[in-house]
Amino acid sequence: MKKIIIFICLVCFLSGKSITLKFIQDKPEGIVRDFYIWQYISDEKTTIEQAKKAYELVFNKTPRIQKAMETKGVITEMPKDIFCKNLNFEELINEDGECLSYGLKLSDIFKFSTKDIDSILNKVKPINPSLFEQIKILHSKNVLESMLQTSAKNFGMIFNGLTYLQKLELLNKSIPHKKLENLANQNNVIFNKMLHTIILDSRFELFKKSLSKANITKSDTNTFFLLGINQILNHNDKKALLYFQRSQNAAIDPFMRDRALFWQYLISQNKTVLKQLSDSIFVDIFSIYANQKLQTKPKYQIISAFDNISSKNPDFNIKDPFEWQILRDNIFAVKDDGEYKKILQYFEYEKTLPHLVYFLNRATKYQVNYFITPYKKLMSSMDDDEKSMVYAIARQESHLLPALISRSYALGIMQIMPFNVLPFAKEMNLKNIELSDMFDPKIALKFGNHYLNSLKEEFQHPLFVSYAYNGGPGFLRRLLAKNELFLKGRKYEPWLSMELLPYEESRFYGMKVMANYIIYEDLFGRKINIEKFLEKTLIYTKDKK
């Protein structure tokens, strides 16, 4: 207990200073300090010498920080991998094997002479045997046949190194399914990711047809699942069912298990499978669907409020990302379960409910579904639908934590990107807004709601809004403009389109935000029928081009 008091005193001592070189030097290394270093270097008042000293403290030299230094007029010494990746071939071929391993693009191999290839192979062989093998394959007379004889890892790495057109030309062919089967059954993560990419691409029809003839028995839950989706796209529901069963058996994550069960029901309409899904103790769109369809009381437990929560201010500044970093790291270092539970009393305040739930999730191993509604007074001007969407997004983005900074420097409870802060402020007629204001829930919630409302005006349905919030509105516009998803009259819609979204993060993000949204709407007294709700996403007809 005394240790935690020391931790809290420490973080309180660190708060409340402006960004100076000394301020940065006094802070612990990590993403948070890098964010402040980036701001400090970007400040026009910071001298070149000060920028150099700050740069020496950087934990992760990202392109964003490198660019800030270049803008300042300082040519930084790039890490070797970045340096080599920026070299053209004429420069790269004179470098050592390590630099070649970093900078060589497999897509360029077809341009090189045999003499150049021999020189590259000699340098690369002792440093990177895998790359050596991949270059030999791409320089062979029959590239596809050589790829089919190599390891799954090498096959996947070659695929990743080629241009899109090269991939199509090389792989959109009828391929002996037994050879694909042998590669896939190696259950290599790189090869599996390649299969995901191809299955979710609207092209590669011949490859996917060949893949549908294979019988893959060794893989991970998500690859099994997408192999099932590939069978559906090839009109073989019986084989798809088998893959969804394998996906369920391989699942560790309850979300993945429920997803596989749901698709087994969708294909078979077997009520026993639906009943099994309805028994899930995990909240997701699939368990919600099952309980609504069967009209049963969910087995999952939802906690939205706590007793004996103080309205006083907590013992630390919830708006300070450094305080949060130090507290989180120190508390996670506590291994004794009894001591860990005692620590949680320091978060039994209205303003620290998100922090309490964050640590409770770790203690309960996510067996309890917390749907808390903090910051109610700050959201009094929003209607209930806006509140539901803000909570749904914030729960997924930040666990509702106000002082969170992501690796890409997304900020605060709503994870607003730095480049959006000033444009949003201008649209909202707000002045004197700084990036650090995104750590203030009062301001951040307004910004998030403003952005969500602008996305809703364009995309209308909450599912599309969630996709745009995660991947950007441009990404969603381009995706929907293809008229290949959310098709009226296509079998298994809209569920199939939700699985065919090409970007995994946005695909799962949309599903999880929709579950959050439906639960929060229920907490605010509005029942949503998930089946009818998602059917409203069907905006195109199957034959539209």
Side-chain angles (χ1 to χ4, degrees):
M1 189 71 71
K2 289 181 180 179
K3 290 181 181 179
I4 297 306
I5 294 173
I6 292 172
F7 296 161
I8 292 174
C9 289
L10 173 62
V11 295
C12 288
F13 175 77
L14 290 173
S15 64
K17 295 182 180 179
S18 59
I19 305 177
T20 63
L21 185 58
K22 187 175 188 310
F23 169 88
I24 293 169
Q25 290 169 334
D26 288 342
K27 299 301 182 183
E29 69 176 14
I31 293 171
V32 177
R33 187 170 73 171
D34 283 358
F35 165 69
Y36 280 93
I37 290 173
W38 168 68
Q39 285 188 86
Y40 181 70
I41 293 172
S42 302
D43 190 333
E44 61 182 17
K45 295 190 293 293
T46 301
T47 68
I48 289 178
E49 288 305 312
Q50 289 172 328
K52 288 180 177 178
K53 289 180 180 179
Y55 183 78
E56 292 174 359
L57 301 173
V58 173
F59 175 68
N60 183 20
K61 291 180 171 60
T62 62
R64 189 188 298 267
I65 292 179
Q66 298 280 4
K67 186 176 180 181
M69 288 294 284
E70 291 172 11
T71 302
K72 183 64 69 178
V74 180
I75 304 301
T76 60
E77 183 179 347
M78 289 184 286
K80 188 171 184 178
D81 59 336
I82 298 176
F83 169 78
C84 295
K85 287 174 183 176
N86 288 331
L87 297 177
N88 60 42
F89 176 69
E90 288 73 19
E91 297 167 324
L92 183 62
I93 199 169
N94 294 317
E95 298 290 332
D96 60 20
E98 183 182 26
C99 196
L100 279 164
S101 295
Y102 286 136
L104 186 66
K105 295 178 181 177
L106 291 177
S107 58
D108 289 339
I109 294 296
F110 303 105
K111 305 174 185 177
F112 301 156
S113 67
T114 299
K115 181 180 178 182
D116 286 336
I117 292 292
D118 289 341
S119 174
I120 293 169
L121 288 173
N122 287 332
K123 290 182 179 181
V124 164
K125 185 175 182 179
I127 300 293
N128 192 331
S130 293
L131 180 60
F132 174 82
E133 181 69 22
Q134 292 154 25
I135 295 170
K136 283 182 62 180
I137 289 169
L138 288 172
H139 195 57
S140 63
K141 291 182 179 180
N142 189 328
V143 175
L144 179 56
E145 184 59 35
S146 298
M147 286 177 67
L148 292 171
Q149 292 176 9
T150 191
S151 67
K153 179 183 176 181
N154 276 336
F155 193 113
M157 291 184 74
I158 291 172
F159 177 87
N160 291 339
L162 300 180
T163 67
Y164 184 73
L165 290 178
Q166 287 172 338
K167 293 172 184 176
L168 273 175
E169 184 180 353
L170 185 63
L171 294 181
N172 193 24
K173 300 172 182 176
S174 293
I175 298 173
H177 68 273
K178 281 292 183 181
K179 293 188 176 181
L180 287 179
E181 186 176 298
N182 290 336
L183 287 164
N185 278 330
Q186 292 176 37
N187 193 18
N188 175 264
V189 63
I190 299 173
F191 189 85
N192 289 348
K193 285 289 185 181
M194 182 205 74
L195 291 180
H196 301 180
T197 299
I198 290 175
I199 291 168
L200 295 171
D201 194 297
S202 59
R203 302 172 80 174
F204 294 96
E205 298 91 344
L206 294 176
F207 182 98
K208 289 187 282 190
K209 189 73 174 177
S210 299
L211 185 65
S212 70
K213 298 175 183 177
N215 180 30
I216 297 162
T217 57
K218 297 176 183 178
S219 198
D220 60 80
T221 180
N222 198 31
T223 303
F224 276 138
F225 182 89
L226 289 173
L227 288 167
I229 293 295
N230 186 55
Q231 294 294 350
I232 286 175
L233 295 173
N234 281 280
H235 312 292
N236 196 333
D237 289 5
K238 187 176 180 180
K239 279 191 174 181
L241 184 61
L242 182 63
Y243 276 123
F244 292 140
Q245 290 167 347
R246 289 173 183 170
S247 178
Q248 177 198 346
N249 293 335
I252 299 173
D253 184 341
F255 173 85
M256 294 295 192
R257 181 200 60 226
D258 289 354
R259 178 181 175 223
L261 274 169
F262 171 79
W263 274 90
Q264 290 175 54
Y265 167 73
L266 212 57
I267 291 173
S268 68
Q269 293 297 301
N270 186 330
K271 288 290 181 69
T272 302
V273 174
L274 192 64
K275 176 63 172 63
Q276 186 180 354
L277 179 56
S278 73
D279 288 337
S280 174
I281 62 171
F282 185 76
V283 173
D284 50 44
I285 56 173
F286 314 113
S287 58
I288 291 172
Y289 173 95
N291 281 286
Q292 288 188 355
K293 198 77 172 176
L294 293 173
Q295 297 183 327
T296 51
K297 183 179 179 180
K299 296 293 192 300
Y300 51 72
Q301 179 186 9
I302 291 177
I303 294 179
S304 59
F306 292 85
D307 296 327
N308 303 317
I309 296 297
S310 174
S311 60
K312 296 180 181 179
N313 287 325
D315 294 327
F316 70 100
N317 182 3
I318 66 168
K319 303 175 188 178
D320 188 329
F322 285 109
E323 293 196 21
W324 169 237
Q325 176 185 321
I326 295 167
L327 271 173
R328 182 198 61 215
D329 292 349
N330 285 330
I331 291 173
F332 277 174
V334 176
K335 303 302 181 184
D336 181 77
D337 289 344
E339 184 67 18
Y340 185 88
K341 290 178 182 178
K342 289 179 183 178
I343 293 169
L344 299 187
Q345 66 181 294
Y346 287 98
F347 301 96
E348 292 177 351
Y349 298 90
E350 290 178 1
K351 292 183 178 180
T352 56
L353 272 182
H355 307 77
L356 176 62
V357 166
Y358 182 82
F359 292 120
L360 280 172
N361 274 325
R362 182 172 181 261
T364 62
K365 295 181 172 58
Y366 294 88
Q367 295 297 304
V368 180
N369 304 281
Y370 295 99
F371 285 83
I372 56 173
T373 54
Y375 320 117
K376 287 181 180 178
K377 293 179 181 179
L378 304 180
M379 301 169 69
S380 58
S381 62
M382 301 179 196
D383 62 37
D384 284 345
D385 182 68
E386 287 177 317
K387 291 176 185 175
S388 294
M389 198 62 188
V390 166
Y391 278 131
I393 292 286
R395 186 178 187 269
Q396 192 61 34
E397 288 281 349
S398 65
H399 306 284
L400 298 156
L401 296 166
L404 202 66
I405 301 177
S406 76
R407 293 184 182 277
S408 60
Y409 300 162
L411 307 173
I413 186 174
M414 299 302 293
Q415 290 289 275
I416 304 295
M417 291 301 295
F419 57 77
N420 279 329
V421 172
L422 290 182
F424 288 175
K426 186 176 181 180
E427 291 168 6
M428 298 165 69
N429 295 315
L430 296 176
K431 297 181 179 180
N432 302 318
I433 293 293
E434 299 180 356
L435 297 186
S436 59
D437 289 322
M438 295 304 100
F439 306 132
D440 184 343
K442 182 178 181 179
I443 298 173
L445 290 167
K446 288 181 180 178
F447 272 64
N449 190 46
H450 169 78
Y451 188 33
L452 286 168
N453 282 336
S454 69
L455 294 174
K456 185 178 179 181
E457 187 175 339
E458 178 176 358
F459 299 111
Q460 300 183 11
H461 196 281
L463 178 62
F464 295 153
V465 171
S466 69
Y467 288 152
Y469 198 96
N470 177 257
F475 144 74
L476 187 59
R477 289 187 200 110
R478 292 188 296 273
L479 185 71
L480 295 179
K482 296 178 180 179
N483 298 338
E484 295 173 348
L485 300 178
F486 300 99
L487 304 176
K488 296 177 182 177
R490 183 164 68 173
K491 195 175 182 181
Y492 301 129
E493 288 287 5
W495 305 98
L496 182 58
S497 286
M498 292 169 69
E499 296 294 353
L500 291 177
L501 213 70
Y503 302 113
E504 181 173 286
E505 180 183 326
S506 296
R507 184 163 69 249
F508 292 152
Y509 182 93
M511 295 178 191
K512 292 176 181 180
V513 168
M514 287 305 92
N516 294 347
Y517 177 76
I518 290 168
I519 295 298
Y520 276 116
E521 282 284 86
D522 186 62
L523 290 174
F524 292 136
R526 289 184 301 282
K527 303 285 185 182
I528 291 180
N529 181 296
I530 190 170
E531 192 168 22
K532 293 179 180 178
F533 172 68
L534 291 176
E535 282 176 357
K536 294 177 182 178
T537 63
L538 300 180
I539 55 178
Y540 298 117
T541 54
K542 190 165 57 172
D543 57 348
K544 186 174 180 180
K545 299 294 181 184

